[in-house]
Amino acid sequence: MWEDPIVAEVRKIREAHAAQFNYDLTAIYHDLKQQEKASGQVFVSFPPRQARPIRKLSKRQKAA
């Protein structure tokens, strides 16, 4: 099976980064947040949006 070299490289880097923190998700999260602060870039977070209710289909629409 063909493997994308860019995806393979990203996965290798992600694996090495996780291994540094013994795969502790909290430690990985804190490290990434520290890297964000150190970068000097502005990161924006938007509040979650409410999901719209699902509209039920009429019998006629279901048949189509």
Side-chain angles (χ1 to χ4, degrees), residues 1-9 11:
M1 178 184 232
W2 182 79
E3 187 175 294
D4 186 324
I6 295 172
V7 172
E9 181 180 357
R11 288 180 178 161

Side-chain angles (χ1 to χ4, degrees), residues 2-64:
W2 182 79
E3 187 175 294
D4 186 324
I6 295 172
V7 172
E9 181 180 357
V10 169
R11 288 180 178 161
K12 182 179 174 183
I13 293 168
R14 183 181 61 198
E15 173 68 23
H17 184 253
Q20 284 181 328
F21 298 97
N22 200 27
Y23 303 93
D24 178 2
L25 293 179
T26 303
I28 294 168
Y29 169 80
H30 288 298
D31 180 63
L32 292 173
K33 289 310 243 179
Q34 186 273 330
Q35 287 183 40
E36 281 183 3
K37 287 181 184 179
S39 74
Q41 294 184 2
V42 177
F43 290 85
V44 179
S45 293
F46 295 102
R49 294 186 294 168
Q50 288 290 328
R52 286 187 253 147
I54 297 174
R55 190 174 53 119
K56 292 189 177 188
L57 298 177
S58 68
K59 289 181 184 177
R60 191 168 142 188
Q61 288 174 319
K62 287 181 185 177

